[in-house]
Amino acid sequence: MSINFDIGDETLWNPSNGAGRLFLRQVEVFEAELGLPSGIGPGKYWGDPSTLEVDPAVFARFTRGLVAWYCQTGHAVIHALSEGFAATVIALARRAGINVEMPEAGPGHVCGGSQSDVQVPGNPLASSASVVAALDTRARETDRWMAR
């Protein structure tokens, strides 16, 4: 068995039940953390738990909010806990044709502007470029692992 994440008649991702359930649980966590709906819900065949529909407009807002949130923290543990989920969301969004721009990062520039949940001790400004690059690389790798 597996779960389909669809937009209309196109399947964006067809993970195993275990991976799909884990992803959906993480979606719930991040919807609460971000205060944003994900746009992932019951499919066109109401009552069929193996097919979920992705609303591209809502999912685009969720994805962009997630990337901004991820880049606004300089906390290494938060990055470790959320990088895989964020990469999966970005890969799924790109498959849906959603433009996901990675924030610019450079010396003295924090990815998303303001910072929250700063890791102490440490200098989060020194690694913002590597944080953005690592997330983008992880999203591209994840896309190759995701079955359609």
Side-chain angles (χ1 to χ4, degrees):
M1 287 294 301
S2 60
I3 299 171
N4 288 331
F5 290 83
D6 295 345
I7 290 183
D9 292 331
E10 180 185 0
T11 297
L12 302 174
W13 185 29
N14 179 247
S16 67
N17 281 336
R21 279 193 316 271
L22 182 59
F23 178 75
L24 289 172
R25 295 281 190 246
Q26 289 177 314
V27 165
E28 292 173 5
V29 167
F30 283 92
E31 283 177 326
E33 185 66 26
L34 300 172
L36 293 171
S38 66
I40 298 173
K44 57 187 167 199
Y45 304 110
W46 187 257
D48 179 3
S50 68
T51 302
L52 297 169
E53 189 72 22
V54 178
D55 179 319
V58 177
F59 192 61
R61 284 190 296 278
F62 178 78
T63 303
R64 292 179 183 124
L66 177 64
V67 169
W69 171 87
Y70 181 89
C71 288
Q72 286 173 348
T73 185
H75 201 289
V77 174
I78 290 175
H79 283 164
L81 291 170
S82 58
E83 183 184 42
F85 175 75
T88 304
V89 167
I90 292 166
L92 194 58
R94 287 175 175 166
R95 285 185 176 186
I98 297 167
N99 183 23
V100 182
E101 292 185 23
M102 301 306 288
E104 288 187 32
H109 176 74
V110 177
C111 302
S114 65
Q115 280 240 285
S116 62
D117 293 315
V118 177
Q119 178 78 34
V120 177
N123 181 359
L125 299 179
S127 65
S128 65
S130 63
V131 167
V132 171
L135 181 59
D136 189 47
T137 298
R138 182 81 182 264
R140 291 177 195 287
E141 290 171 351
T142 301
D143 183 55
R144 288 192 298 268
W145 303 329
M146 295 168 65
R148 285 191 189 238

